[in-house]
């Protein structure tokens, strides 16, 4: 679910489009007071844009909703839509395959993060890094050679050590 506000500016349009392509439910917030007409117009604009984008989730057409937390309007509809999405995804099996994929991705991210931290904090790597960065910046060494040099100084303890 992606929460949006009206009047975010044209400079954010590219970013918003990239994020919108990933969203299953879009909600225009602050649909209250003087902002009601803008929120409704923004909602219609988003519906038109989504018409041209492929849904990120097979078997589901992204919803565009509005809400006002100030007035408590639209919150029930958001909740109902979330439950419909969940039920639809569970019925199709996509919920479970996406969860498996997310879990595997999470494992990989945690491993990558731990290895990068261990690499950057390794004493031999930490001491050589500024030297090699200066050499690469000064065209005295190519980036590939610098990376190989750093990796050759990195040792990671085997499990249980």
């Amino acid at each position: 679910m992606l929460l949006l506000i009206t009047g975010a500016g044209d400079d954010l349009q590219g970013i918003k489009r990239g994020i919108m392509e990933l969203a299953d439910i879009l909600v225009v917030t602050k649909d209250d007071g003087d902002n009601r007409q803008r929120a409704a117009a923004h909602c219609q604009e988003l519906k038109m844009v989504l018409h041209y984008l492929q849904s990120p989730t097979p078997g589901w057409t992204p919803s565009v909703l509005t809400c006002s937390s100030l007035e408590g309007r639209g919150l029930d509809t958001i909740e109902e839509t979330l439950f419909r999405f969940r039920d639809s995804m569970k019925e199709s099996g996509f919920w479970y395959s996406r969860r498996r994929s997310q879990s595997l991705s999470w494992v990989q991210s945690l491993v990558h993060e731990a290895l990068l931290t261990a690499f950057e904090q390794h004493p031999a790597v930490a001491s050589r890094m500024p030297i090699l960065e200066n050499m690469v910046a000064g065209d005295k060494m190519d980036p590939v050679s610098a990376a190989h040099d750093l990796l050759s100084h990195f040792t990671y303890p085997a499990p249980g050590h």
Side-chain angles (χ1 to χ4, degrees):
M1 183 168 67
L2 175 63
L3 301 178
L4 299 159
I5 58 171
T6 59
D10 291 337
D11 52 332
L12 298 178
Q13 291 304 318
I15 296 169
K16 281 182 9 184
R17 181 172 184 256
I19 295 170
M20 284 183 357
E21 291 173 347
L22 302 173
D24 294 301
I25 301 168
L26 291 89
V27 179
V28 177
T29 63
K30 303 186 185 304
D31 180 19
D32 45 51
D34 294 341
N35 204 39
R36 290 211 59 192
Q37 283 185 322
R38 283 190 303 252
H42 193 54
C43 186
Q44 290 306 313
E45 176 186 312
L46 291 169
K47 287 178 182 178
M48 287 188 337
V49 169
L50 287 178
H51 179 73
Y52 296 103
L53 300 178
Q54 183 176 352
S55 174
T57 304
W60 177 261
T61 301
S63 301
V64 181
L65 310 168
T66 60
C67 75
S68 167
S69 58
L70 187 66
E71 297 176 3
R73 199 172 8 79
L75 302 177
D76 290 345
T77 305
I78 293 169
E79 182 180 40
E80 291 167 12
T81 305
L82 286 168
F83 286 139
R84 254 186 321 128
F85 174 75
R86 180 201 59 198
D87 294 345
S88 173
M89 294 303 97
K90 284 186 175 183
E91 285 175 21
S92 71
F94 191 73
W95 178 276
Y96 304 104
S97 67
R98 182 180 270 181
R99 176 54 80 204
R100 280 190 298 276
S101 176
Q102 288 170 336
S103 294
L104 293 173
S105 179
W106 192 7
V107 168
Q108 291 172 354
S109 292
L110 291 170
V111 168
H112 290 166
E113 186 177 318
L115 284 172
L116 183 58
T117 299
F119 179 77
E120 291 173 340
Q121 292 177 354
H122 190 279
V125 171
S127 66
R128 295 219 24 96
M129 182 71 78
I131 296 165
L132 295 175
E133 285 176 344
N134 284 334
M135 291 176 72
V136 169
D139 288 329
K140 295 180 178 150
M141 179 181 258
D142 66 277
V144 173
S145 297
H148 284 296
D149 184 293
L150 288 171
L151 289 168
S152 72
H153 286 85
F154 178 68
T155 54
Y156 193 77
H161 290 83

